Amino acid sequence: MAIETQLGVKDESTWGTAVTVDRFFPLISESMEPVVDKLETEARRAGLLVQRSDISIPIYKGSAGQIEIPVMNKSFGWWLKHLLGGTATAGPTDSAYTHTGTVATLLGDSFTMQVNRPFQDSGSNQAFTYEGCKITSWELTCGVDEEVKLTAEVDAENETTGTALASASYPTGLELLSWAHASSQLTIAGTQVPITSFSLQCDNALKTDRHYIYGSGLKKQQVANGYREIQFSLDADFDSLTQYNRLRTSTNAGQYAQIVVTLVAPTLIGSTTFPSLTITIPAARFDQVTIDNSSMDPNTQSISGVARFDGTNSPVTLAYVTADATA
Protein backbone atom coordinates (compact mmCIF):
# COMPACT_ATOMS: atom_id res chain seq x y z
CA MET A 1 0.00 0.00 0.00
CA ALA A 2 1.36 3.38 -1.01
CA ILE A 3 2.61 5.74 1.68
CA GLU A 4 0.28 8.50 0.39
CA THR A 5 -2.90 6.48 0.77
CA GLN A 6 -5.87 7.69 2.82
CA LEU A 7 -9.26 6.47 4.02
CA GLY A 8 -12.29 8.75 4.26
CA VAL A 9 -15.93 7.99 5.12
CA LYS A 10 -19.27 9.69 5.67
CA ASP A 11 -22.79 8.54 6.54
CA GLU A 12 -25.25 8.52 3.65
CA SER A 13 -28.69 10.08 4.06
CA THR A 14 -30.02 7.69 1.42
CA TRP A 15 -28.51 4.28 0.79
CA GLY A 16 -26.50 4.25 -2.43
CA THR A 17 -26.42 8.03 -2.84
CA ALA A 18 -22.78 9.10 -2.55
CA VAL A 19 -21.73 11.98 -0.33
CA THR A 20 -18.39 13.76 0.05
CA VAL A 21 -16.31 12.02 2.71
CA ASP A 22 -15.21 14.16 5.63
CA ARG A 23 -14.11 11.75 8.38
CA PHE A 24 -10.60 10.31 7.99
CA PHE A 25 -8.82 7.42 9.69
CA PRO A 26 -5.25 6.14 9.71
CA LEU A 27 -5.24 3.10 7.43
CA ILE A 28 -3.27 -0.11 7.90
CA SER A 29 -4.48 -1.85 4.74
CA GLU A 30 -7.35 -2.08 2.25
CA SER A 31 -8.27 -4.56 -0.47
CA MET A 32 -11.42 -3.25 -2.15
CA GLU A 33 -11.97 -4.63 -5.64
CA PRO A 34 -14.78 -4.78 -8.21
CA VAL A 35 -17.06 -7.80 -8.52
CA VAL A 36 -17.51 -8.41 -12.27
CA ASP A 37 -19.34 -11.34 -13.85
CA LYS A 38 -18.66 -12.43 -17.41
CA LEU A 39 -21.94 -13.41 -19.04
CA GLU A 40 -21.28 -16.12 -21.64
CA THR A 41 -23.23 -18.88 -23.35
CA GLU A 42 -22.59 -22.61 -23.45
CA ALA A 43 -24.23 -22.85 -26.88
CA ARG A 44 -22.24 -24.79 -29.50
CA ARG A 45 -21.23 -23.49 -32.92
CA ALA A 46 -19.96 -25.49 -35.89
CA GLY A 47 -16.20 -25.49 -36.36
CA LEU A 48 -15.47 -23.90 -32.96
CA LEU A 49 -12.73 -25.32 -30.71
CA VAL A 50 -12.25 -22.26 -28.48
CA GLN A 51 -15.03 -19.97 -27.30
CA ARG A 52 -15.38 -16.82 -29.42
CA SER A 53 -14.40 -13.41 -28.04
CA ASP A 54 -17.57 -11.66 -29.12
CA ILE A 55 -20.06 -13.50 -26.89
CA SER A 56 -18.79 -12.30 -23.49
CA ILE A 57 -20.62 -9.47 -21.66
CA PRO A 58 -19.01 -8.03 -18.53
CA ILE A 59 -21.48 -7.06 -15.78
CA TYR A 60 -20.30 -4.97 -12.84
CA LYS A 61 -22.18 -6.04 -9.70
CA GLY A 62 -20.56 -3.90 -6.99
CA SER A 63 -17.31 -3.87 -5.06
CA ALA A 64 -16.14 -5.59 -1.90
CA GLY A 65 -13.04 -6.00 0.19
CA GLN A 66 -11.40 -5.49 3.54
CA ILE A 67 -10.14 -2.49 5.46
CA GLU A 68 -7.95 -2.56 8.56
CA ILE A 69 -7.51 0.39 10.92
CA PRO A 70 -6.07 0.95 14.41
CA VAL A 71 -8.54 1.70 17.20
CA MET A 72 -7.51 5.04 18.69
CA ASN A 73 -8.67 7.45 21.39
CA LYS A 74 -10.70 9.64 19.02
CA SER A 75 -13.18 9.19 16.14
CA PHE A 76 -13.72 5.43 16.53
CA GLY A 77 -17.27 6.01 17.78
CA TRP A 78 -18.34 6.68 14.17
CA TRP A 79 -17.93 2.98 13.37
CA LEU A 80 -20.22 1.67 16.11
CA LYS A 81 -23.54 1.97 14.27
CA HIS A 82 -22.07 0.37 11.16
CA LEU A 83 -20.60 -2.53 13.16
CA LEU A 84 -23.61 -3.23 15.39
CA GLY A 85 -26.58 -1.10 14.27
CA GLY A 86 -27.39 0.94 17.38
CA THR A 87 -25.53 3.70 19.18
CA ALA A 88 -26.25 6.05 22.08
CA THR A 89 -24.23 8.87 23.63
CA ALA A 90 -23.97 9.85 27.31
CA GLY A 91 -22.01 12.63 28.99
CA PRO A 92 -20.02 14.65 29.42
CA THR A 93 -18.60 13.29 32.64
CA ASP A 94 -15.14 14.58 33.52
CA SER A 95 -15.02 16.07 29.98
CA ALA A 96 -15.58 12.57 28.52
CA TYR A 97 -18.42 11.17 26.44
CA THR A 98 -19.42 7.52 26.21
CA HIS A 99 -20.68 6.28 22.86
CA THR A 100 -22.23 2.83 23.25
CA GLY A 101 -22.85 0.48 20.35
CA THR A 102 -25.45 -2.28 20.68
CA VAL A 103 -26.88 -4.92 18.38
CA ALA A 104 -29.73 -3.42 16.34
CA THR A 105 -30.96 -3.38 12.76
CA LEU A 106 -28.54 -2.24 10.08
CA LEU A 107 -31.35 -1.38 7.68
CA GLY A 108 -30.83 2.13 6.35
CA ASP A 109 -27.32 2.47 7.80
CA SER A 110 -24.85 3.03 4.98
CA PHE A 111 -21.84 5.13 4.15
CA THR A 112 -19.68 6.41 1.35
CA MET A 113 -16.01 5.43 1.51
CA GLN A 114 -13.02 6.75 -0.42
CA VAL A 115 -9.47 5.45 -0.62
CA ASN A 116 -6.47 6.86 -2.46
CA ARG A 117 -4.26 4.69 -4.65
CA PRO A 118 -1.54 6.93 -6.14
CA PHE A 119 -0.07 6.10 -9.53
CA GLN A 120 3.53 5.00 -9.84
CA ASP A 121 5.95 6.48 -10.82
CA SER A 122 4.22 9.84 -11.04
CA GLY A 123 2.76 9.75 -7.54
CA SER A 124 -0.44 11.33 -8.83
CA ASN A 125 -3.47 10.68 -6.64
CA GLN A 126 -6.22 8.36 -7.83
CA ALA A 127 -9.33 8.24 -5.67
CA PHE A 128 -11.62 5.22 -5.59
CA THR A 129 -15.03 6.14 -4.15
CA TYR A 130 -17.54 3.55 -2.98
CA GLU A 131 -21.21 4.24 -2.31
CA GLY A 132 -23.89 2.14 -0.62
CA CYS A 133 -21.31 0.66 1.75
CA LYS A 134 -22.16 -1.70 4.58
CA ILE A 135 -19.98 -3.78 6.89
CA THR A 136 -20.80 -7.44 6.33
CA SER A 137 -18.44 -8.80 9.00
CA TRP A 138 -15.78 -7.47 11.34
CA GLU A 139 -13.17 -8.39 13.91
CA LEU A 140 -11.62 -6.55 16.85
CA THR A 141 -8.25 -7.88 17.99
CA CYS A 142 -5.75 -7.06 20.69
CA GLY A 143 -2.73 -8.76 22.19
CA VAL A 144 0.52 -8.32 24.04
CA ASP A 145 2.87 -6.13 21.97
CA GLU A 146 0.08 -5.44 19.45
CA GLU A 147 -2.11 -2.48 18.64
CA VAL A 148 -5.88 -2.78 18.96
CA LYS A 149 -7.23 -3.20 15.42
CA LEU A 150 -10.52 -3.29 13.59
CA THR A 151 -10.71 -5.41 10.46
CA ALA A 152 -13.94 -4.95 8.50
CA GLU A 153 -15.33 -6.58 5.37
CA VAL A 154 -17.04 -3.87 3.32
CA ASP A 155 -19.63 -4.42 0.59
CA ALA A 156 -20.43 -1.52 -1.76
CA GLU A 157 -23.19 -0.97 -4.28
CA ASN A 158 -21.05 1.02 -6.70
CA GLU A 159 -17.53 2.31 -7.36
CA THR A 160 -16.40 5.44 -9.16
CA THR A 161 -12.94 6.68 -10.10
CA GLY A 162 -13.89 10.17 -11.29
CA THR A 163 -14.66 11.75 -7.91
CA ALA A 164 -12.01 14.16 -6.68
CA LEU A 165 -9.88 13.08 -3.75
CA ALA A 166 -11.12 14.71 -0.56
CA SER A 167 -8.64 16.68 1.52
CA ALA A 168 -7.79 14.60 4.58
CA SER A 169 -7.57 15.94 8.10
CA TYR A 170 -7.22 14.05 11.36
CA PRO A 171 -8.04 14.85 15.01
CA THR A 172 -5.19 16.24 17.07
CA GLY A 173 -3.79 14.17 19.90
CA LEU A 174 -4.49 10.74 18.41
CA GLU A 175 -3.23 7.88 20.60
CA LEU A 176 -3.38 4.12 20.43
CA LEU A 177 -5.15 2.10 23.09
CA SER A 178 -2.52 0.35 25.21
CA TRP A 179 -2.55 -3.30 26.18
CA ALA A 180 -0.11 -2.42 28.99
CA HIS A 181 -2.20 0.33 30.63
CA ALA A 182 -2.91 -0.23 34.33
CA SER A 183 -6.65 -0.36 33.62
CA SER A 184 -6.51 -2.61 30.53
CA GLN A 185 -7.81 -6.04 31.45
CA LEU A 186 -10.15 -8.94 30.71
CA THR A 187 -12.54 -10.40 33.23
CA ILE A 188 -14.61 -13.58 33.07
CA ALA A 189 -17.57 -13.67 35.46
CA GLY A 190 -16.03 -10.67 37.22
CA THR A 191 -12.62 -12.25 37.83
CA GLN A 192 -9.56 -10.87 36.05
CA VAL A 193 -7.87 -13.35 33.74
CA PRO A 194 -4.36 -12.60 32.40
CA ILE A 195 -4.52 -13.04 28.63
CA THR A 196 -2.03 -12.74 25.79
CA SER A 197 -4.59 -12.14 23.03
CA PHE A 198 -8.30 -11.59 22.44
CA SER A 199 -10.48 -11.53 19.34
CA LEU A 200 -14.14 -10.66 18.79
CA GLN A 201 -15.70 -11.51 15.45
CA CYS A 202 -19.16 -10.71 14.11
CA ASP A 203 -20.86 -11.82 10.90
CA ASN A 204 -23.70 -9.37 10.25
CA ALA A 205 -25.51 -11.90 8.02
CA LEU A 206 -26.28 -9.51 5.18
CA LYS A 207 -27.51 -10.63 1.77
CA THR A 208 -25.21 -8.86 -0.66
CA ASP A 209 -26.32 -10.37 -4.00
CA ARG A 210 -29.72 -8.72 -4.40
CA HIS A 211 -29.60 -8.39 -8.19
CA TYR A 212 -32.68 -8.05 -10.38
CA ILE A 213 -33.73 -7.38 -13.94
CA TYR A 214 -34.55 -3.75 -13.26
CA GLY A 215 -32.45 -1.70 -15.60
CA SER A 216 -29.12 -2.12 -13.83
CA GLY A 217 -26.59 -4.72 -12.78
CA LEU A 218 -26.19 -2.96 -9.43
CA LYS A 219 -27.63 -4.56 -6.29
CA LYS A 220 -30.42 -3.39 -4.04
CA GLN A 221 -29.66 -2.57 -0.40
CA GLN A 222 -27.90 -5.30 1.56
CA VAL A 223 -30.39 -6.67 4.14
CA ALA A 224 -30.27 -9.26 6.89
CA ASN A 225 -30.97 -12.85 5.88
CA GLY A 226 -29.97 -14.71 9.05
CA TYR A 227 -28.96 -14.46 12.68
CA ARG A 228 -25.78 -12.60 13.46
CA GLU A 229 -22.99 -14.89 14.51
CA ILE A 230 -20.73 -13.40 17.19
CA GLN A 231 -17.63 -15.32 18.22
CA PHE A 232 -14.82 -14.73 20.69
CA SER A 233 -11.43 -16.29 21.31
CA LEU A 234 -8.65 -15.69 23.80
CA ASP A 235 -5.34 -17.12 24.93
CA ALA A 236 -4.46 -17.29 28.62
CA ASP A 237 -2.34 -19.12 31.16
CA PHE A 238 -3.67 -22.49 32.27
CA ASP A 239 -3.80 -21.58 35.95
CA SER A 240 -6.93 -23.42 37.11
CA LEU A 241 -9.85 -25.56 35.90
CA THR A 242 -12.29 -22.66 36.09
CA GLN A 243 -12.58 -22.04 32.33
CA TYR A 244 -12.19 -25.73 31.46
CA ASN A 245 -15.13 -26.54 33.70
CA ARG A 246 -17.32 -24.12 31.75
CA LEU A 247 -16.79 -26.45 28.79
CA ARG A 248 -17.25 -29.67 30.81
CA THR A 249 -20.37 -28.54 32.64
CA SER A 250 -23.61 -30.50 32.23
CA THR A 251 -25.92 -27.53 32.89
CA ASN A 252 -27.09 -24.83 30.53
CA ALA A 253 -26.16 -22.00 32.91
CA GLY A 254 -22.75 -23.46 33.64
CA GLN A 255 -21.49 -23.02 30.07
CA TYR A 256 -22.09 -19.24 30.14
CA ALA A 257 -20.16 -16.38 31.72
CA GLN A 258 -19.86 -12.65 31.17
CA ILE A 259 -16.69 -11.49 29.42
CA VAL A 260 -15.57 -7.87 29.73
CA VAL A 261 -12.51 -6.53 27.93
CA THR A 262 -11.30 -3.00 28.71
CA LEU A 263 -8.59 -1.33 26.62
CA VAL A 264 -7.32 2.09 27.67
CA ALA A 265 -5.34 4.95 26.10
CA PRO A 266 -2.55 6.61 28.12
CA THR A 267 -3.57 10.29 28.35
CA LEU A 268 -6.37 11.57 30.59
CA ILE A 269 -9.34 13.36 29.05
CA GLY A 270 -10.30 15.22 32.23
CA SER A 271 -8.90 14.80 35.70
CA THR A 272 -9.60 11.07 36.20
CA THR A 273 -10.99 9.62 32.95
CA PHE A 274 -8.91 7.87 30.30
CA PRO A 275 -10.12 7.17 26.77
CA SER A 276 -11.10 3.52 26.46
CA LEU A 277 -12.99 0.83 24.61
CA THR A 278 -14.91 -1.70 26.69
CA ILE A 279 -16.24 -4.86 25.05
CA THR A 280 -18.96 -6.63 27.02
CA ILE A 281 -20.40 -10.06 26.19
CA PRO A 282 -23.08 -10.74 28.83
CA ALA A 283 -23.71 -14.35 27.78
CA ALA A 284 -20.50 -15.84 26.37
CA ARG A 285 -20.87 -19.58 25.77
CA PHE A 286 -17.66 -21.59 26.15
CA ASP A 287 -17.46 -24.02 23.21
CA GLN A 288 -13.79 -24.98 23.22
CA VAL A 289 -10.99 -24.93 25.77
CA THR A 290 -7.72 -26.35 24.43
CA ILE A 291 -4.82 -26.84 26.84
CA ASP A 292 -1.35 -26.59 25.28
CA ASN A 293 0.99 -29.03 27.03
CA SER A 294 3.37 -29.41 24.10
CA SER A 295 6.53 -27.63 25.24
CA MET A 296 8.68 -26.73 28.23
CA ASP A 297 6.87 -23.39 28.52
CA PRO A 298 4.18 -22.99 31.17
CA ASN A 299 0.90 -24.48 29.98
CA THR A 300 -1.57 -22.20 28.25
CA GLN A 301 -5.21 -22.51 27.24
CA SER A 302 -7.00 -21.31 24.13
CA ILE A 303 -10.64 -20.52 24.76
CA SER A 304 -13.34 -19.82 22.19
CA GLY A 305 -17.08 -19.66 21.93
CA VAL A 306 -20.06 -17.61 20.85
CA ALA A 307 -22.19 -14.79 22.20
CA ARG A 308 -25.87 -15.44 22.76
CA PHE A 309 -28.83 -13.20 23.62
CA ASP A 310 -29.73 -13.52 27.31
CA GLY A 311 -33.19 -12.09 26.78
CA THR A 312 -32.33 -8.66 28.19
CA ASN A 313 -28.94 -7.28 27.24
CA SER A 314 -27.34 -6.67 23.86
CA PRO A 315 -25.36 -9.83 22.96
CA VAL A 316 -22.31 -7.61 22.62
CA THR A 317 -21.77 -3.98 23.66
CA LEU A 318 -18.96 -1.67 22.59
CA ALA A 319 -18.61 1.29 24.99
CA TYR A 320 -16.21 3.91 23.68
CA VAL A 321 -15.07 6.66 26.07
CA THR A 322 -13.59 9.67 24.30
CA ALA A 323 -13.36 13.43 24.21
CA ASP A 324 -15.55 13.40 21.08
CA ALA A 325 -18.96 14.90 21.86
CA THR A 326 -20.57 13.09 18.90
CA ALA A 327 -19.96 9.65 17.54
Side-chain angles (χ1 to χ4, degrees):
M1 189 172 68
I3 193 170
E4 287 298 324
T5 193
Q6 68 182 53
L7 169 68
V9 294
K10 186 173 184 177
D11 292 336
E12 294 175 346
S13 298
T14 302
W15 177 86
T17 300
V19 292
T20 302
V21 301
D22 59 7
R23 183 79 69 97
F24 300 90
F25 294 87
L27 179 63
I28 298 172
S29 67
E30 62 89 7
S31 60
M32 295 293 294
E33 60 183 27
V35 178
V36 179
D37 276 0
K38 305 293 186 181
L39 183 63
E40 294 184 322
T41 179
E42 293 295 323
R44 274 55 168 182
R45 184 167 173 167
L48 201 64
L49 297 179
V50 176
Q51 190 62 276
R52 289 176 59 91
S53 65
D54 56 2
I55 55 87
S56 177
I57 301 175
I59 300 176
Y60 172 72
K61 301 175 73 176
S63 291
Q66 186 180 94
I67 61 169
E68 188 177 30
I69 64 171
V71 180
M72 308 190 82
N73 63 329
K74 295 181 180 180
S75 284
F76 183 73
W78 181 88
W79 293 96
L80 298 180
K81 60 182 171 293
H82 298 294
L83 299 178
L84 292 173
T87 185
T89 298
T93 300
D94 192 31
S95 301
Y97 297 82
T98 301
H99 307 293
T100 302
T102 54
V103 175
T105 181
L106 291 164
L107 189 63
D109 289 336
S110 66
F111 59 98
T112 296
M113 182 174 74
Q114 186 183 73
V115 296
N116 185 28
R117 296 167 174 165
F119 291 114
Q120 298 297 343
D121 291 316
S122 69
S124 300
N125 294 321
Q126 175 56 61
F128 287 74
T129 305
Y130 304 92
E131 64 189 51
C133 293
K134 291 203 175 191
I135 294 176
T136 58
S137 64
W138 53 271
E139 180 180 20
L140 283 169
T141 58
C142 63
V144 173
D145 295 331
E146 297 178 3
E147 61 189 325
V148 183
K149 292 187 291 189
L150 169 68
T151 303
E153 298 289 338
V154 178
D155 185 81
E157 178 222 17
N158 200 5
E159 167 196 279
T160 60
T161 56
T163 302
L165 181 68
S167 179
S169 62
Y170 303 88
T172 59
L174 282 176
E175 288 185 335
L176 295 171
L177 305 182
S178 173
W179 64 271
H181 193 279
S183 296
S184 293
Q185 63 174 345
L186 176 142
T187 63
I188 300 177
T191 300
Q192 184 173 341
V193 176
I195 65 167
T196 56
S197 66
F198 175 81
S199 169
L200 175 67
Q201 299 174 317
C202 179
D203 184 340
N204 281 329
L206 295 178
K207 183 173 177 61
T208 60
D209 59 347
R210 300 184 65 215
H211 299 280
Y212 301 86
I213 300 175
Y214 76 139
S216 173
L218 298 178
K219 67 187 73 181
K220 295 183 74 176
Q221 181 177 176
Q222 312 92 323
V223 297
N225 67 341
Y227 290 124
R228 293 186 207 180
E229 202 57 45
I230 304 168
Q231 301 177 310
F232 70 90
S233 62
L234 61 96
D235 294 313
D237 286 348
F238 180 57
D239 53 6
S240 75
L241 287 173
T242 301
Q243 314 312 329
Y244 185 77
N245 287 339
R246 300 188 200 281
L247 175 69
R248 289 287 291 115
T249 185
S250 58
T251 68
N252 177 61
Q255 64 185 330
Y256 288 97
Q258 183 186 69
I259 295 178
V260 180
V261 185
T262 303
L263 300 159
V264 184
T267 301
L268 285 166
I269 298 172
S271 58
T272 60
T273 305
F274 290 95
S276 64
L277 175 67
T278 298
I279 303 166
T280 302
I281 308 174
R285 192 183 73 191
F286 286 60
D287 290 348
Q288 186 171 9
V289 179
T290 302
I291 301 166
D292 186 353
N293 190 28
S294 62
S295 72
M296 296 289 285
D297 289 335
N299 289 343
T300 60
Q301 54 185 338
S302 296
I303 302 166
S304 60
V306 297
R308 288 292 184 256
F309 179 44
D310 64 5
T312 303
N313 302 291
S314 174
V316 64
T317 298
L318 303 179
Y320 182 59
V321 177
T322 175
D324 301 333
T326 59

